[in-house]
Amino acid sequence: MEKDMILIVGGGPAGLIMAIELLRRKVPVRILEKRKGPSHTARAMTVHARSMEMFHHMGVASRLEEVCLECPGNIYHFPGVPDDECPRTDYRVLPTSFPFYYKISQNDFEQVLREFLYAQYSMLPEYRTELVKLVQDGDRVVATIRLPDGQEEECSYPYVVGCDGVRSFVRDAAGIKFNGEVIAAMAMMDVPLENVTFDDRWMNYYFNKDLFMNCTKMPGDVWRIYMSEETGEFVYAKDIRQAFQEVADRIGIGFKVGVPEWATSWEIRNNIAERYRTGRMLICGDASHVHSPSGGQGMNGCMQDAFNLGWKLAAVFKGEADDSILDTYERERKPIGEQISNGAMATHHIVMGFGIEPAERLPLTKAPGWEQNTIKLVSGLSHNYCDVVQLPSGLKAVAGPRAGARAPDCLLTKSPQRRLYDIYRRPQFTLLIVPGADDDENHIKIGIKARDALETKFPGLVSSHMISSNRDSGFDFDHRARDEQGAVAKLYEIGPEGRLVLVRPDLYVGVSCVPEDWAAIPKYLEQWYNVAQR
């Protein structure tokens, strides 16, 4: 049986984002999930700024704001150092609409995504449905699927995306090695606490030479606490509640552990896949990289993988782009996976550098730029593709965000409120046209010319917007906005020379150029879209 849809294996965060990104672009999907049903327990708990920018783009951010708790950042409680002198990573300075990170249990977070998926697209994962065989056959992938009643069906799909975790069936079927090692063991629980003296808005890291614990308040009536040590004596203890209490007492935290709502233990691995694609089988999220939970980047990196791949896979499926653009997924995301891993390990060495006295680890937090670099990396705001972008030759260099960098957001008008990201909130590329001083008429004419050329050559794939107070600029109400306080000009470093900024569907800058170089925009887009077939 042939299925003209994308098969997604795994109904966790990466799989759900992948489905939403494809469905936003009218690409049919099927999501398999071998679990019996939605999980009521989960390890991940942080949603960082770059992910919230993604959710704003997708239209689900407002719901997350209702169910999450804001966390200003992390406090590292070194033994003997007064609390007000302890190192911190304070996210409130980040240049984003989300200068913090959100706390929410992964199971509650996934529920928000499932509800959004069902409300918008009448789609849910197929639970108790397991992939048991996968074979690539020419331009199709043949999947044998075990249904809830135990029967098996064989279907072929044009592409299969494995969002099926550390023990990925798709990765193994694709013959992709998953190199790495076990670096520690960890236990965690959601539990009521008494005698809490720390500021529970923050994530509080406590540790000594041999033990580690962190804790913070979660939505509802419980705290999330993690614990790690080298021997396994406490992590794998039979009485896990008593083990957590003893570790807290040995470190000197002072709280009393109640009866946990749930608890679990697992091995922390540091692995990355040797490649992210074999033909028409691709892997995404934990199937492609896992690392220390220090900093809480794991789930966020997984979702950003899907955000990168989704629009590209949709373009290929719809015949708008050549299959070769899928190779850019690995070129762009694998270095980010390595950055996340390295960043997580840097924090891991500070808080879980077992056998090394904390006083000897403290200098790691004193390195120049440590806090700033950490919050930008962990939040995802510093992730970029600048080293792998391909630009047309002959472009005049301009100031502002480089090609491949995150496209920053700003407030355009206060009342009614309109943000730059509201303009970018679409499943296409966005061309931002910013005339120079005094709404230069020549720049406006160039903007109209560029818009018309793109609509002719790439119909439906680029949305052009004029940033101008000139109501006669040739752009209708939905495609014109005012930069009321000059925020765009300041943030994108645009002077009287004006600017054209092409922003990718995943909120990264594609091209930034002066208006006179507008012909570089369609040349750049040719690397993504198959013009010959349009």
Side-chain angles (χ1 to χ4, degrees):
M1 182 191 309
E2 287 197 354
K3 299 273 191 177
D4 192 25
M5 60 178 60
I6 304 295
L7 179 64
I8 299 169
V9 184
L16 294 170
I17 296 298
M18 179 63 63
I20 292 168
E21 284 302 285
L22 291 169
L23 289 165
R24 287 176 74 201
R25 295 169 173 88
K26 302 187 185 301
V27 174
V29 302
R30 182 183 185 184
I31 313 168
L32 306 186
E33 176 52 68
K34 67 180 181 180
R35 290 178 296 173
K36 293 181 179 179
S39 175
H40 68 281
T41 61
R43 298 171 190 166
M45 57 156 287
T46 54
V47 182
H48 282 291
R50 188 55 174 164
S51 295
M52 285 304 299
E53 291 180 344
M54 173 185 72
F55 288 127
H56 178 276
H57 187 269
M58 294 165 56
V60 71
S62 59
R63 176 58 181 146
L64 287 169
E65 290 170 336
E66 293 172 345
V67 297
C68 294
L69 282 182
E70 282 189 25
C71 181
N74 305 334
I75 304 176
Y76 304 85
H77 297 271
F78 279 82
V81 178
D83 282 354
D84 60 354
E85 297 178 18
C86 284
R88 298 179 182 226
T89 44
D90 190 337
Y91 289 73
R92 293 174 296 186
V93 300
L94 287 172
T96 173
S97 297
F98 306 98
F100 46 79
Y101 62 79
Y102 272 136
K103 300 182 290 186
I104 181 173
S105 291
Q106 184 178 335
N107 51 304
D108 295 323
F109 172 72
E110 288 181 8
Q111 184 180 55
V112 170
L113 293 186
R114 284 193 304 271
E115 289 174 346
F116 179 80
L117 182 67
Y118 193 66
Q120 298 294 320
Y121 307 108
S122 300
M123 163 69 65
L124 284 173
E126 297 177 38
Y127 290 100
R128 296 185 297 128
T129 305
E130 183 177 4
L131 181 66
V132 295
K133 188 177 180 181
L134 199 61
V135 179
Q136 196 152 235
D137 183 15
D139 61 356
R140 307 286 294 184
V141 183
V142 180
T144 304
I145 298 165
R146 182 174 298 134
L147 303 173
D149 62 3
Q151 298 293 313
E152 292 185 357
E153 67 175 22
E154 188 177 277
C155 303
S156 73
Y157 299 86
Y159 291 94
V160 175
V161 184
C163 302
D164 48 345
V166 177
R167 297 178 179 82
S168 171
F169 186 96
V170 175
R171 186 186 63 232
D172 291 344
I176 300 173
K177 292 181 180 178
F178 197 47
N179 301 314
E181 60 183 347
V182 175
I183 56 175
M186 179 164 278
M188 63 165 287
M189 63 167 57
D190 284 349
V191 62
L193 298 177
E194 295 179 11
N195 304 326
V196 173
T197 58
F198 55 81
D199 187 338
D200 60 21
R201 297 174 304 148
W202 295 72
M203 176 65 76
N204 292 268
Y205 288 83
Y206 292 92
F207 44 91
N208 59 25
K209 182 180 178 182
D210 303 309
L211 301 170
F212 160 82
M213 181 171 281
N214 71 350
C215 36
T216 191
K217 182 71 170 59
M218 296 294 287
D221 300 324
V222 298
W223 279 254
R224 170 69 57 86
I225 51 178
Y226 295 80
M227 175 254 290
S228 184
E229 39 84 27
E230 281 191 304
T231 67
E233 173 189 357
F234 297 107
V235 169
Y236 297 114
K238 192 170 184 179
D239 187 340
I240 195 65
R241 176 186 178 186
Q242 179 56 39
F244 268 87
Q245 185 67 66
E246 186 167 346
V247 169
D249 292 344
R250 290 193 184 191
I251 296 177
I253 303 177
F255 57 59
K256 182 179 178 182
V257 178
V259 177
E261 287 196 356
W262 75 283
T264 189
S265 302
W266 75 97
E267 292 180 332
I268 300 174
R269 302 196 63 92
N270 191 37
N271 291 61
I272 192 160
E274 65 176 0
R275 62 183 187 275
Y276 284 15
R277 178 191 183 196
T278 297
R280 291 174 174 267
M281 294 186 281
L282 302 104
I283 55 174
C284 184
D286 282 345
S288 55
H289 54 83
V290 293
H291 45 79
S292 171
S294 298
Q297 300 173 77
M299 181 172 70
N300 295 269
C302 294
M303 294 188 296
Q304 291 293 330
D305 288 345
F307 197 46
N308 178 287
L309 177 58
W311 67 271
K312 300 171 183 176
L313 188 55
V316 173
F317 179 89
K318 294 163 74 173
E320 298 166 346
D322 187 78
D323 176 271
S324 61
I325 74 164
L326 299 179
D327 292 332
T328 67
Y329 163 58
E330 179 183 322
R331 283 203 300 271
E332 294 179 344
R333 291 306 299 176
K334 188 172 182 181
I336 300 299
E338 292 166 348
Q339 285 180 41
I340 291 173
S341 177
N342 292 336
M345 286 305 298
T347 301
H348 183 95
H349 291 317
I350 292 171
V351 299
M352 286 185 269
F354 300 131
I356 302 172
E357 291 291 349
E360 296 178 41
R361 303 182 223 162
L362 183 59
L364 295 172
T365 69
K366 306 296 184 182
W370 170 75
E371 180 182 12
Q372 189 71 4
N373 292 336
T374 298
I375 62 175
K376 284 192 173 181
L377 173 66
V378 175
S379 67
L381 297 194
S382 68
H383 295 167
N384 66 80
Y385 310 133
C386 296
D387 293 339
V388 295
V389 295
Q390 297 179 17
L391 292 174
S393 60
L395 275 175
K396 179 183 176 182
V398 295
R402 298 162 55 201
R406 164 184 169 264
D409 185 27
C410 63
L411 185 66
L412 294 173
T413 57
K414 285 186 175 180
S415 182
Q417 187 179 107
R418 186 163 174 78
R419 304 194 65 85
L420 189 55
Y421 269 21
D422 294 324
I423 289 176
Y424 296 161
R425 187 191 282 162
R426 55 200 64 253
Q428 312 136 303
F429 276 82
T430 301
L431 178 63
L432 203 66
I433 302 159
V434 189
D438 299 319
D439 283 343
D440 186 291
E441 288 188 14
N442 185 50
H443 292 169
I444 291 176
K445 289 178 181 178
I446 291 175
I448 293 172
K449 186 177 182 179
R451 176 199 64 190
D452 294 346
L454 293 175
E455 287 183 355
T456 299
K457 196 169 187 179
F458 305 99
L461 299 177
V462 185
S463 181
S464 300
H465 291 254
M466 176 70 72
I467 304 298
S468 171
S469 57
N470 186 347
R471 296 190 177 188
D472 299 320
S473 62
F475 287 74
D476 64 32
F477 186 77
D478 285 351
H479 295 85
R480 184 185 70 246
R482 289 178 295 125
D483 187 12
E484 196 171 65
Q485 299 180 1
V488 175
K490 182 178 179 180
L491 201 58
Y492 285 76
E493 300 182 51
I494 303 170
E497 75 280 4
R499 191 82 82 250
L500 301 183
V501 183
L502 184 71
V503 176
R504 296 175 15 161
D506 52 0
L507 298 176
Y508 286 87
V509 174
V511 179
S512 182
C513 64
V514 294
E516 289 75 14
D517 283 345
W518 74 269
I521 305 291
K523 287 182 180 178
Y524 168 84
L525 284 166
E526 287 175 5
Q527 71 182 284
W528 297 110
Y529 295 117
N530 194 342
V531 181
Q533 294 183 7
R534 298 192 62 76

